[in-house]
Amino acid sequence: MIRIIGLGSPFGDDQVGWRVIELLQDRLDPQVDLVALDRPGAALINWMAGVRRLVIVDALVSGHAPGHTARLTDSDLDALAGGTSSHQLDLAQTLALAGALDCLPEQVEIYGIEIDALQRTGLSGAVADSAVTLAKTLAKTLTDLPVTRVETPNSCSRS
Amino acid sequence: MTERSVSIHVPAMTRVEGEGSLRLRIEHGEIRELALDIFEPPRYFEKFLEGRRYHEVLDTVARICGICPVAYQMSAAQAVEDAFGLEPGPWVRDMRRVFYCGEWLQSHALHVHLLAAPDFLGFDSVVGMAARHPEVVRRGLRLQGLGNALIRLLGGRSVHPVGASVGGFFRAPVEAEVGDMLEQLHAALPDAHDLVLWAAALKLPQDEQAFTSVALRHDTDYPFAQGRIVSDDGLNIAIAQYGDHFVEEHRPHSTALFSLLHGAPYLVGPLARLNLNRDHLPAASLTLLLQTGVVFPSSNMFHSLLARTLEIHVAIVEAIRLLENYRRPTAAQVAVTPRAGIGYGATEAPRGLLWHRYELDDRGIVRAARIVPPTSQNQARIEADLRRSLLQYGLNRPDDKLRLRAETVIRNYDPCISCATHFLKIGVTRR
């Protein structure tokens, strides 16, 4: 199975991951599963069961201009770790935990869209534009591929 | 005389839940200074609430904590309803208890597995622990996920839920949603059962100490959102009398207030609740506790972990009981008519007693608010525990060992500052 997860919260630009999911609705093969999650922390792992290819879209604060979109590597994630979360595991730690639990899908792609952390309501213009661009890119990448549902059984439960 | 000054700095992960640091000064083998510094945000929220209408209170206080928003909402709802002389009725009371079960489940499962267990199994973090004990971590994630689902059932979403209101809820779940939830709850009972036995079998430090437990106590039920405030020293008061017995004081090293009961530190949280309410456990949970062979009341602070796992079982058993004969009501809330008054609310947050007091005017506008969160109530107790635990452990141990023991002691209280695995900045000065 292919699953795209938008991570975020209802506050300002932090919604951008959800916006990408919204833009992808009805534009992909129905077998691509679209999920918007509100700050799941380690519970993100519960969404990895049976997934072969996982795409994560999240807001990013890394010093670039708002709207800057990047596909993140492991070292990018490590560099970002620890800055934005307190009681919960951050994304890098959660992926490390998923790896230790043997729950990681075969393919994991993470896209970050730089946000304006001070944006209070709705999405700021540049960020909204980048959401549209990323959604188009993802739609193109994923519709060009033959989508076959591969239920990889693993022991990570989804609740 | 040589002075060795060591400062171990761990980049703190800060959001709003808090930040902690410990200053420890050891001279000639004795502790000369020990101070746990906490930044606690709720103080500001009390000011934010002034001038707000009563229906804005629940959304505002939910933001105080990302892990226990339900607790803040339930104490606030109770206090505002108390001021208005409003009785929301049995359906609302039952569903609030279910809502609260969800929060205990997710918060306790998070703490036990991601934050505390690595201390007792000898790992730096849950990631290292997961490689050796994957089934334990998976079980924890399943239980945490179930708690989130239960919060969503009534709150609409699991982080800062929006479903609760003064007078009840904005929406009552339909029977099919409740049926689905019941299936998940029943399926999780074996996990909760095994978790308690696993916790009881852990090699926890033997650390008997004298302390006063404080918790709510209800006539018949294990306490969530109703009861009187009791202690094992004989305190038994209505929640409105809190201010007559408990005093909050400032100390220079902390922006959190220290709470004292009759001038002395006290404990709130799972161990205090279980110590004071063992006889009100649901029958299945009591049977399970007896099976562990661990005797409560307990004076071993590290039995907090076992108490926490038992409360996960309690939360599932209670949620099943309350949802089993669910009927969707015609209205999910009762009508609210503001009136001027003072109201009190006290509920049992995952970390312990959470006390609120509001003064509202005849239009339902908040004139004054006071919120006493569990972490600041435990702060004096944590310092007292640290002092004796470190002495017992041995001050001549290396700094990293002292730091780990200090972190373990503090984390055991599940304070909001245990947010990150390595949350503690510790400065050790030796002479």
Side-chain angles (χ1 to χ4, degrees):
Chain A
M1 191 209 323
I2 298 177
R3 174 171 286 152
I4 307 180
I5 298 180
L7 298 176
S9 74
F11 310 109
D13 277 347
D14 200 28
Q15 300 166 71
V16 67
W18 299 354
R19 177 68 184 141
V20 172
I21 296 300
E22 203 177 282
L23 289 163
L24 286 170
Q25 300 285 353
D26 305 323
R27 288 177 61 172
L28 294 175
D29 184 295
Q31 291 188 53
V32 178
D33 191 39
L34 297 171
V35 179
L37 295 180
D38 188 343
R39 294 156 287 174
L44 178 65
I45 296 169
N46 292 331
W47 294 88
M48 295 181 184
V51 177
R52 181 175 55 85
R53 181 175 175 189
L54 176 66
V55 179
I56 293 173
V57 183
D58 200 358
L60 187 64
V61 180
S62 65
H64 286 93
H68 173 82
T69 305
R71 183 168 165 189
L72 304 178
T73 61
D74 287 351
S75 57
D76 293 333
L77 279 175
D78 289 343
L80 289 165
T84 53
S85 188
S86 53
H87 225 123
Q88 292 281 30
L89 297 191
D90 63 29
L91 186 55
Q93 292 168 320
T94 300
L95 293 173
L97 180 58
L101 292 172
D102 205 14
C103 291
L104 270 185
E106 266 173 59
Q107 246 183 303
V108 180
E109 295 154 56
I110 300 162
Y111 294 91
I113 298 179
E114 190 79 19
I115 62 168
D116 175 358
L118 297 178
Q119 175 72 15
R120 283 287 169 255
T121 49
L123 289 177
S124 54
V127 172
D129 292 347
S130 296
V132 172
T133 311
L134 180 59
K136 276 185 189 158
T137 311
L138 288 175
K140 184 161 180 350
T141 323
L142 292 166
T143 37
D144 286 352
L145 287 172
V147 178
T148 48
R149 183 177 280 266
V150 184
E151 295 292 352
T152 316
N154 71 21
S155 47
C156 305
S157 59
R158 174 180 163 184
S159 58
Chain B
M1 190 180 296
T2 57
E3 177 177 317
R4 185 160 70 96
S5 175
V6 182
S7 180
I8 303 160
H9 177 91
V10 182
M13 295 179 165
T14 55
R15 220 180 215 181
V16 287
E17 286 94 335
E19 189 179 353
S21 71
L22 177 70
R23 273 179 294 123
L24 179 62
R25 189 159 56 87
I26 300 168
E27 281 178 17
H28 310 300
E30 284 182 27
I31 295 175
R32 292 289 175 206
E33 185 192 17
L34 186 153
L36 174 66
D37 304 343
I38 294 184
F39 166 74
E40 270 278 339
R43 302 277 84 85
Y44 303 124
F45 274 86
E46 295 164 327
K47 261 313 192 209
F48 296 161
L49 285 165
E50 287 177 16
R52 296 275 171 190
R53 285 179 59 89
Y54 72 88
H55 56 73
E56 296 175 286
V57 173
L58 268 59
D59 278 345
T60 308
V61 297
R63 298 305 197 281
I64 293 173
C65 183
I67 304 299
C68 54
V70 172
Y72 281 92
Q73 292 188 320
M74 295 301 92
S75 282
Q78 195 187 90
V80 173
E81 288 161 7
D82 181 40
F84 292 169
L86 185 72
E87 172 46 60
W91 184 86
V92 169
R93 267 205 309 277
D94 284 353
M95 290 307 113
R96 283 179 176 170
R97 198 168 163 88
V98 171
F99 198 31
Y100 228 128
C101 287
E103 182 158 280
W104 277 21
L105 249 176
Q106 68 86 17
S107 177
H108 283 353
L110 171 78
H111 180 263
V112 167
H113 297 90
L114 301 190
L115 305 174
D119 283 338
F120 302 116
L121 292 171
F123 295 93
D124 282 350
S125 75
V126 68
V127 177
M129 186 181 113
R132 289 285 303 280
H133 304 276
E135 282 311 321
V136 171
V137 177
R138 286 192 190 117
R139 183 175 64 205
L141 291 174
R142 284 197 296 272
L143 288 166
Q144 190 196 354
L146 177 67
N148 285 338
L150 196 49
I151 295 174
R152 271 197 301 276
L153 177 74
L154 288 151
R157 64 187 192 205
S158 61
V159 183
H160 301 145
V162 289
S165 68
V166 174
F169 290 90
F170 290 111
R171 172 184 176 273
V174 297
E175 275 90 351
E177 292 170 293
V178 172
D180 180 50
M181 192 68 240
L182 270 171
E183 260 179 49
Q184 294 182 53
L185 288 163
H186 278 291
L189 267 178
D191 271 352
H193 180 272
D194 296 349
L195 173 65
V196 172
L197 297 181
W198 169 84
L202 280 176
K203 279 194 185 136
L204 300 172
Q206 282 302 316
D207 190 25
E208 309 289 327
Q209 47 185 303
F211 54 84
T212 302
S213 295
V214 171
L216 287 181
R217 186 168 163 87
H218 181 260
D219 292 343
T220 52
D221 297 338
Y222 200 77
F224 282 82
Q226 284 177 292
R228 292 169 67 79
I229 299 170
V230 303
S231 82
D232 45 15
D233 274 355
L235 182 80
N236 185 338
I237 55 169
I239 62 171
Q241 296 169 302
Y242 181 90
D244 299 337
H245 300 268
F246 295 83
V247 173
E248 288 185 294
E249 64 178 35
H250 275 292
R251 294 195 186 168
H253 64 275
S254 184
T255 52
L257 296 171
F258 278 67
S259 286
L260 300 172
L261 166 60
H262 302 147
Y266 61 98
L267 175 75
V268 297
L271 180 60
R273 279 195 292 265
L274 185 54
N275 277 347
L276 291 163
N277 291 282
R278 181 186 169 282
D279 57 334
H280 286 172
L281 284 169
S285 305
L286 180 58
T287 305
L288 180 57
L289 180 62
L290 293 173
Q291 213 180 318
T292 67
V294 181
V295 178
F296 285 87
S298 166
S299 56
N300 181 357
M301 264 313 302
F302 287 105
H303 280 152
S304 297
L305 182 94
L306 178 57
R308 218 165 260 127
T309 59
L310 189 71
E311 288 191 340
I312 286 177
H313 190 267
V314 170
I316 296 175
V317 168
E318 277 297 277
I320 290 173
R321 177 180 73 82
L322 292 161
L323 291 176
E324 209 125 52
N325 299 307
Y326 181 83
R327 291 276 176 280
R328 192 169 198 247
T330 45
Q333 56 184 195
V334 295
V336 180
T337 310
R339 73 173 194 204
I342 295 173
Y344 301 89
T347 66
E348 284 288 348
R351 284 155 200 79
L353 186 70
L354 170 60
W355 187 86
H356 289 214
R357 175 189 183 276
Y358 296 98
E359 277 179 56
L360 296 122
D361 69 14
D362 54 359
R363 293 174 300 159
I365 292 174
V366 177
R367 290 299 164 207
R370 191 169 157 220
I371 296 171
V372 185
T375 294
S376 74
Q377 297 186 74
N378 273 339
Q379 199 174 348
R381 170 90 269 278
I382 296 173
E383 282 192 359
D385 188 351
L386 271 171
R387 183 173 288 275
R388 57 163 302 292
S389 292
L390 291 177
L391 280 172
Q392 194 197 42
Y393 184 64
L395 296 177
N396 51 356
R397 306 235 190 189
D399 288 349
D400 59 338
K401 297 272 186 207
L402 277 180
R403 177 184 135 194
L404 178 62
R405 175 48 70 106
E407 281 193 351
T408 303
V409 166
I410 297 169
R411 251 196 296 274
N412 184 45
Y413 289 81
D414 189 15
C416 272
I417 52 164
S418 69
C419 304
T421 317
H422 295 108
F423 64 92
L424 197 60
K425 295 175 195 169
I426 176 170
V428 182
T429 309
R430 293 177 192 266
R431 272 178 204 267

